[in-house]
Amino acid sequence: MEKQPSSVLVILFLIILTFYAAETYGKKQAQRLGRFYKAKMKENSGIDTSLFRANHHRVNRAKIHSQDGLKEKDRIWKLPGQPEAEFSQYGGYVTVDKSAGRAMYYYFVEARKSQDSSPLLLWLNGGPGCSSLAYGAMQELGPFRVHSDGKTLYRNLYSWNNAANVLFLESPAGVGFSYSNTTSDYAKSGDGRTAADNYVFLVNWLERFPEYKGRDFYISGESYAGHYVPQLAHTILYHNNKANKTIINLKGIMIGNAVINDETDVRGMYEYFQSHALISDEAAHQIQSFCDFSPNATTQSDACDAATSQVEENTYYLDIYNIYAPLCVNSNLTARPRKASIMHFDPCSDYYVHAYLNRPEVQEAMHANITKLDHDWEPCSDIIRKWHDSPSTVIPLLQEFMANGLRVWVFSGDTDGRVPVTSTKNSINAMKLPVKTPWHAWYLNGEVGGYTQVYKGDLTLATIRGAGHQVPSYQPKRALSLVKHFVDGSPLPNTSRYP
């Protein structure tokens, strides 16, 4: 019998498609989930956890390639327009499939202090199909941001390389500077292949940077990386167990505003809209009464369709990924850089980054092989048009990590309406975990940084007050505090420390 599209996905598509219809720049991470769900609704993967194992055979055939001399070739001495920096940075390619000519681009910044003892942290952006260079590195947690002139950079004092050596990966092939010489690869993308390629990348990257072998390793990411991060961690655990040794010393994962569980993600989104006065109580009641959120539903009633139409009307001109943020009203570059502030995120930053990373001198400095691409660098890929596998939940993987003693943190910027805190709380509540440390405020510099609850099994839920979907963009200081406590394995500061 032909599988029918889940009603949850149909609703998601109809809503998300309209959220950004007024945008002039159609390749943002903020719009990518809408395109993704349009494809996913045609071929729903359901809750088939065998998909988590389907990528193992791909890795078994991969080989570790010689990396002799490649580390120094990847050293970036200085980026164009970059202020002075006291840390080393690298950029280049790691081949993950020689026969296909598939290679992944990475950007790596060593820790500002104690580089030799600090942990290694991998950051992944979502989409699927969006660049960790465009967002994580250049707009969120990297050491530099791009000025409004699209030519020069300024320091991010709250970069996560204050806490770790940070590795950014453009994944899968076809995203950003990552590529394949086999065009058909771009039509085979999915969760499984992405996890397999990311694992092969890591194993070979550690050969190139052997000083990080055995180092405590963490994976973090946001949005659809709620799938990328757990599935990569699952692949690492599988191969460690298969080899009966520690190939990669994985200690934990941290995912933010993450796609975790389709059913609770959707229900929580509507709850957020109602609680933040974006839709009427009547519409919210109708949605909860007449819409079927279960992954097995195939149709929706007219009453559900009528209720969800109000969402379109009332969120059309909002940035639903940060409901209180201003929109970009002038995307033009400036002859001279405008005064920039790390603490006040510029909503036009996408345009500045796009201009900067398409400059030939920047690509040369970063060792980006633009000749391998048949298009300009883009923040989100247009050549990945089909996504083959995407389970409706990754909760079984989170449970696996807890059973294996890994640290699991889930964080949420509390002004994101797309994968809001209500969705995240619903997803964690579905796990029915006993509470270890009850809900309480955590503090930074005498102010509430957010709220947190710790569950038995070493799962921590943390909110970041005043942050949207891209948490480090909007609250860089609080995000840095969060990651420092995560890698240190220490609880977020609680109210007992303050009068």
Side-chain angles (χ1 to χ4, degrees), residues 93-108:
Y93 288 93
V94 171
T95 298
V96 296
D97 189 322
K98 277 191 173 181
S99 62
R102 196 159 69 247
M104 314 294 284
Y105 183 84
Y106 78 90
Y107 173 60
F108 176 55

PDB file of all heavy atoms in Angstrom, residues 93-108:
ATOM      1  N   TYR A  93      39.458  20.890   2.622  1.00  0.00           N
ATOM      2  CA  TYR A  93      38.589  19.774   2.254  1.00  0.00           C
ATOM      3  C   TYR A  93      39.091  18.455   2.823  1.00  0.00           C
ATOM      4  O   TYR A  93      40.297  18.223   2.918  1.00  0.00           O
ATOM      5  CB  TYR A  93      38.521  19.644   0.729  1.00  0.00           C
ATOM      6  CG  TYR A  93      37.721  20.740   0.075  1.00  0.00           C
ATOM      7  CD1 TYR A  93      38.339  21.898  -0.392  1.00  0.00           C
ATOM      8  CD2 TYR A  93      36.341  20.618  -0.067  1.00  0.00           C
ATOM      9  CE1 TYR A  93      37.607  22.903  -0.991  1.00  0.00           C
ATOM     10  CE2 TYR A  93      35.600  21.629  -0.660  1.00  0.00           C
ATOM     11  CZ  TYR A  93      36.234  22.764  -1.129  1.00  0.00           C
ATOM     12  OH  TYR A  93      35.500  23.763  -1.713  1.00  0.00           O
ATOM     13  N   VAL A  94      38.142  17.609   3.156  1.00  0.00           N
ATOM     14  CA  VAL A  94      38.417  16.216   3.509  1.00  0.00           C
ATOM     15  C   VAL A  94      37.588  15.344   2.572  1.00  0.00           C
ATOM     16  O   VAL A  94      36.359  15.491   2.508  1.00  0.00           O
ATOM     17  CB  VAL A  94      38.061  15.915   4.972  1.00  0.00           C
ATOM     18  CG1 VAL A  94      38.157  14.413   5.240  1.00  0.00           C
ATOM     19  CG2 VAL A  94      38.968  16.683   5.918  1.00  0.00           C
ATOM     20  N   THR A  95      38.254  14.465   1.837  1.00  0.00           N
ATOM     21  CA  THR A  95      37.559  13.568   0.919  1.00  0.00           C
ATOM     22  C   THR A  95      36.874  12.459   1.714  1.00  0.00           C
ATOM     23  O   THR A  95      37.485  11.803   2.550  1.00  0.00           O
ATOM     24  CB  THR A  95      38.543  12.950  -0.090  1.00  0.00           C
ATOM     25  OG1 THR A  95      39.133  14.010  -0.865  1.00  0.00           O
ATOM     26  CG2 THR A  95      37.844  11.978  -1.019  1.00  0.00           C
ATOM     27  N   VAL A  96      35.592  12.254   1.438  1.00  0.00           N
ATOM     28  CA  VAL A  96      34.849  11.191   2.127  1.00  0.00           C
ATOM     29  C   VAL A  96      34.518  10.032   1.194  1.00  0.00           C
ATOM     30  O   VAL A  96      34.133   8.956   1.654  1.00  0.00           O
ATOM     31  CB  VAL A  96      33.549  11.742   2.768  1.00  0.00           C
ATOM     32  CG1 VAL A  96      33.886  12.746   3.861  1.00  0.00           C
ATOM     33  CG2 VAL A  96      32.624  12.356   1.736  1.00  0.00           C
ATOM     34  N   ASP A  97      34.674  10.239  -0.123  1.00  0.00           N
ATOM     35  CA  ASP A  97      34.455   9.158  -1.086  1.00  0.00           C
ATOM     36  C   ASP A  97      35.310   9.461  -2.314  1.00  0.00           C
ATOM     37  O   ASP A  97      34.966  10.310  -3.129  1.00  0.00           O
ATOM     38  CB  ASP A  97      32.980   9.068  -1.478  1.00  0.00           C
ATOM     39  CG  ASP A  97      32.659   7.837  -2.312  1.00  0.00           C
ATOM     40  OD1 ASP A  97      33.498   7.462  -3.162  1.00  0.00           O
ATOM     41  OD2 ASP A  97      31.574   7.254  -2.119  1.00  0.00           O
ATOM     42  N   LYS A  98      36.444   8.757  -2.427  1.00  0.00           N
ATOM     43  CA  LYS A  98      37.378   9.028  -3.523  1.00  0.00           C
ATOM     44  C   LYS A  98      36.768   8.688  -4.878  1.00  0.00           C
ATOM     45  O   LYS A  98      36.951   9.421  -5.852  1.00  0.00           O
ATOM     46  CB  LYS A  98      38.672   8.244  -3.321  1.00  0.00           C
ATOM     47  CG  LYS A  98      39.663   8.914  -2.392  1.00  0.00           C
ATOM     48  CD  LYS A  98      41.015   8.225  -2.455  1.00  0.00           C
ATOM     49  CE  LYS A  98      42.056   9.000  -1.663  1.00  0.00           C
ATOM     50  NZ  LYS A  98      43.382   8.358  -1.724  1.00  0.00           N
ATOM     51  N   SER A  99      36.070   7.563  -4.976  1.00  0.00           N
ATOM     52  CA  SER A  99      35.542   7.133  -6.271  1.00  0.00           C
ATOM     53  C   SER A  99      34.500   8.109  -6.805  1.00  0.00           C
ATOM     54  O   SER A  99      34.431   8.357  -8.003  1.00  0.00           O
ATOM     55  CB  SER A  99      34.949   5.732  -6.161  1.00  0.00           C
ATOM     56  OG  SER A  99      33.868   5.711  -5.241  1.00  0.00           O
ATOM     57  N   ALA A 100      33.697   8.692  -5.906  1.00  0.00           N
ATOM     58  CA  ALA A 100      32.684   9.659  -6.331  1.00  0.00           C
ATOM     59  C   ALA A 100      33.236  11.075  -6.402  1.00  0.00           C
ATOM     60  O   ALA A 100      32.596  11.961  -6.975  1.00  0.00           O
ATOM     61  CB  ALA A 100      31.497   9.626  -5.362  1.00  0.00           C
ATOM     62  N   GLY A 101      34.425  11.291  -5.808  1.00  0.00           N
ATOM     63  CA  GLY A 101      34.967  12.643  -5.748  1.00  0.00           C
ATOM     64  C   GLY A 101      34.169  13.532  -4.821  1.00  0.00           C
ATOM     65  O   GLY A 101      33.944  14.713  -5.100  1.00  0.00           O
ATOM     66  N   ARG A 102      33.733  12.961  -3.681  1.00  0.00           N
ATOM     67  CA  ARG A 102      32.913  13.711  -2.735  1.00  0.00           C
ATOM     68  C   ARG A 102      33.788  14.222  -1.611  1.00  0.00           C
ATOM     69  O   ARG A 102      34.498  13.446  -0.964  1.00  0.00           O
ATOM     70  CB  ARG A 102      31.806  12.811  -2.199  1.00  0.00           C
ATOM     71  CG  ARG A 102      30.681  13.571  -1.523  1.00  0.00           C
ATOM     72  CD  ARG A 102      29.389  12.770  -1.443  1.00  0.00           C
ATOM     73  NE  ARG A 102      29.447  11.640  -0.551  1.00  0.00           N
ATOM     74  CZ  ARG A 102      29.391  10.378  -0.944  1.00  0.00           C
ATOM     75  NH1 ARG A 102      29.300  10.071  -2.230  1.00  0.00           N
ATOM     76  NH2 ARG A 102      29.429   9.390  -0.061  1.00  0.00           N
ATOM     77  N   ALA A 103      33.751  15.539  -1.387  1.00  0.00           N
ATOM     78  CA  ALA A 103      34.630  16.168  -0.408  1.00  0.00           C
ATOM     79  C   ALA A 103      33.852  17.186   0.408  1.00  0.00           C
ATOM     80  O   ALA A 103      33.006  17.911  -0.107  1.00  0.00           O
ATOM     81  CB  ALA A 103      35.814  16.835  -1.099  1.00  0.00           C
ATOM     82  N   MET A 104      34.173  17.240   1.709  1.00  0.00           N
ATOM     83  CA  MET A 104      33.475  18.124   2.643  1.00  0.00           C
ATOM     84  C   MET A 104      34.396  19.272   3.044  1.00  0.00           C
ATOM     85  O   MET A 104      35.567  19.056   3.385  1.00  0.00           O
ATOM     86  CB  MET A 104      33.056  17.351   3.892  1.00  0.00           C
ATOM     87  CG  MET A 104      32.414  16.000   3.613  1.00  0.00           C
ATOM     88  SD  MET A 104      30.835  16.123   2.785  1.00  0.00           S
ATOM     89  CE  MET A 104      29.820  16.629   4.155  1.00  0.00           C
ATOM     90  N   TYR A 105      33.845  20.471   3.035  1.00  0.00           N
ATOM     91  CA  TYR A 105      34.616  21.650   3.438  1.00  0.00           C
ATOM     92  C   TYR A 105      34.430  21.907   4.936  1.00  0.00           C
ATOM     93  O   TYR A 105      33.320  21.819   5.464  1.00  0.00           O
ATOM     94  CB  TYR A 105      34.181  22.891   2.658  1.00  0.00           C
ATOM     95  CG  TYR A 105      35.025  24.093   3.023  1.00  0.00           C
ATOM     96  CD1 TYR A 105      36.246  24.315   2.403  1.00  0.00           C
ATOM     97  CD2 TYR A 105      34.629  24.957   4.045  1.00  0.00           C
ATOM     98  CE1 TYR A 105      37.054  25.384   2.775  1.00  0.00           C
ATOM     99  CE2 TYR A 105      35.436  26.024   4.422  1.00  0.00           C
ATOM    100  CZ  TYR A 105      36.648  26.229   3.791  1.00  0.00           C
ATOM    101  OH  TYR A 105      37.451  27.275   4.176  1.00  0.00           O
ATOM    102  N   TYR A 106      35.548  22.243   5.590  1.00  0.00           N
ATOM    103  CA  TYR A 106      35.496  22.566   7.015  1.00  0.00           C
ATOM    104  C   TYR A 106      36.221  23.884   7.282  1.00  0.00           C
ATOM    105  O   TYR A 106      37.088  24.325   6.532  1.00  0.00           O
ATOM    106  CB  TYR A 106      36.147  21.454   7.856  1.00  0.00           C
ATOM    107  CG  TYR A 106      37.665  21.487   7.842  1.00  0.00           C
ATOM    108  CD1 TYR A 106      38.368  22.223   8.795  1.00  0.00           C
ATOM    109  CD2 TYR A 106      38.399  20.828   6.849  1.00  0.00           C
ATOM    110  CE1 TYR A 106      39.757  22.290   8.764  1.00  0.00           C
ATOM    111  CE2 TYR A 106      39.780  20.884   6.816  1.00  0.00           C
ATOM    112  CZ  TYR A 106      40.458  21.625   7.773  1.00  0.00           C
ATOM    113  OH  TYR A 106      41.829  21.705   7.743  1.00  0.00           O
ATOM    114  N   TYR A 107      35.848  24.514   8.377  1.00  0.00           N
ATOM    115  CA  TYR A 107      36.549  25.686   8.908  1.00  0.00           C
ATOM    116  C   TYR A 107      36.769  25.411  10.389  1.00  0.00           C
ATOM    117  O   TYR A 107      35.836  25.014  11.105  1.00  0.00           O
ATOM    118  CB  TYR A 107      35.702  26.941   8.704  1.00  0.00           C
ATOM    119  CG  TYR A 107      36.227  28.199   9.361  1.00  0.00           C
ATOM    120  CD1 TYR A 107      37.480  28.717   9.039  1.00  0.00           C
ATOM    121  CD2 TYR A 107      35.455  28.887  10.305  1.00  0.00           C
ATOM    122  CE1 TYR A 107      37.955  29.879   9.646  1.00  0.00           C
ATOM    123  CE2 TYR A 107      35.912  30.050  10.908  1.00  0.00           C
ATOM    124  CZ  TYR A 107      37.163  30.539  10.575  1.00  0.00           C
ATOM    125  OH  TYR A 107      37.623  31.694  11.178  1.00  0.00           O
ATOM    126  N   PHE A 108      38.002  25.583  10.846  1.00  0.00           N
ATOM    127  CA  PHE A 108      38.365  25.191  12.206  1.00  0.00           C
ATOM    128  C   PHE A 108      39.095  26.326  12.898  1.00  0.00           C
ATOM    129  O   PHE A 108      40.030  26.919  12.341  1.00  0.00           O
ATOM    130  CB  PHE A 108      39.260  23.951  12.162  1.00  0.00           C
ATOM    131  CG  PHE A 108      39.791  23.504  13.495  1.00  0.00           C
ATOM    132  CD1 PHE A 108      38.933  23.237  14.548  1.00  0.00           C
ATOM    133  CD2 PHE A 108      41.153  23.331  13.698  1.00  0.00           C
ATOM    134  CE1 PHE A 108      39.416  22.813  15.780  1.00  0.00           C
ATOM    135  CE2 PHE A 108      41.654  22.909  14.922  1.00  0.00           C
ATOM    136  CZ  PHE A 108      40.774  22.654  15.967  1.00  0.00           C
TER     137      PHE A 108
END
